[in-house]
Amino acid sequence: KGNPNLRILRDILITFSAFHSDVGYAQGMNDILSRFLVVLDNEADAYWCFSKHLERNRQDFMEEGMVDKLETVKQLLGETDREYLDFFVDADMADFMFCHRWLLLSFKREFSFDDGIRLFEILSSHHLELCSLEAEKAKRKEQLLEKERMGGDVGQRSEALVNHDYTFELFLCLAILQRYRSEIMKCPDPCQLYQVVSGLAMNMNLGELLCKAEELFFHYCRKTVTDCFELVSPPSTPTPYSQ
């Protein structure tokens, strides 16, 4: 009641809801908005930045959109660690709902405020996305290395199959799951899994996880290239000189 920032937060959310009736208000929006308000310290600027952010990420605040995103986490894990995915399926935890808060709030409650702002900036920059220049550079480099490794005539069976729904935030989810793989795989049921995941909040090293997520991201970029190449003809063997 006595905090003016809460009133500003409320006013912005009401205004946004009034002008975006198809989205309205959903739980978690206040967490996203508060970042803009703290950093910009201006109600109008915070509103416009928040609105632009929601234009791109509105599906996250709709039930169907988040369900699709969690399904994409499952698909990505299946491509990188099938054994780990089988564990979640066998344990009846393959809905990956324990990742819901991570993705909905852009990991805001998993790290300190300063680390949360840093991470939000990184995710919002879209610097490491599968359609980004960095991804294209990595794929081009792998194409050249693949030709050099295989020797002979190398043909491309098909275009690299890249799932652009695999955003960097999903690779960060994967990095967390991989970092705490042993602890998670000891969980016999969903209840204990949620306890383990909840206990990670404020106890994770952001720098370490970002490095792991970047490693997973570039590994995926390289894999999409190697999967679509084949050796057309073997390298020629020099004929021994005979007298």
Side-chain angles (χ1 to χ4, degrees), residues 24 94 146 148 192 203 209 219:
E146 192 67 14
E148 184 179 328
Q192 190 167 340
N203 290 306
L209 291 172
H219 175 75

Side-chain angles (χ1 to χ4, degrees), residues 5 8-9 12 32-53 113 117 120-121 124:
N5 289 324
I8 295 173
L9 198 74
I12 293 176
I32 302 297
L33 173 57
S34 64
R35 288 162 162 156
F36 291 114
L37 196 55
V38 169
V39 172
L40 300 171
D41 194 26
N42 181 282
E43 183 173 354
D45 290 345
Y47 170 78
W48 287 114
C49 287
F50 175 72
S51 297
K52 285 296 182 182
H53 178 79
F113 182 79
I117 290 290
F120 189 61
E121 228 179 316
S124 299

Side-chain angles (χ1 to χ4, degrees), residues 159-177:
E159 290 296 319
L161 297 177
V162 178
N163 189 340
H164 290 99
D165 289 335
Y166 292 165
T167 53
F168 187 66
E169 62 183 345
L170 301 191
F171 285 97
L172 184 58
C173 285
L174 205 63
I176 295 174
L177 294 176

Side-chain angles (χ1 to χ4, degrees), residues 146-155 230-236:
E146 192 67 14
K147 290 179 179 180
E148 184 179 328
R149 276 196 297 266
M150 296 179 77
D153 295 325
V154 178
E230 65 181 356
L231 189 63
V232 176
S233 62
S236 57

Side-chain angles (χ1 to χ4, degrees), residues 35-97:
R35 288 162 162 156
F36 291 114
L37 196 55
V38 169
V39 172
L40 300 171
D41 194 26
N42 181 282
E43 183 173 354
D45 290 345
Y47 170 78
W48 287 114
C49 287
F50 175 72
S51 297
K52 285 296 182 182
H53 178 79
L54 263 291
E55 281 182 16
R56 188 180 185 108
N57 300 281
R58 61 195 300 158
Q59 290 299 320
D60 290 356
F61 293 93
M62 298 179 177
E63 183 178 354
E64 191 174 306
M66 183 52 71
V67 169
D68 289 344
K69 184 167 278 193
L70 293 173
E71 180 64 25
T72 309
V73 174
K74 178 180 176 180
Q75 292 173 8
L76 180 57
L77 182 61
E79 289 193 36
T80 56
D81 193 337
R82 187 70 208 186
E83 180 187 5
Y84 203 6
L85 175 60
D86 289 342
F87 160 77
F88 287 110
V89 172
D90 294 341
D92 196 25
M93 296 182 286
D95 58 5
F96 288 84
M97 283 301 294

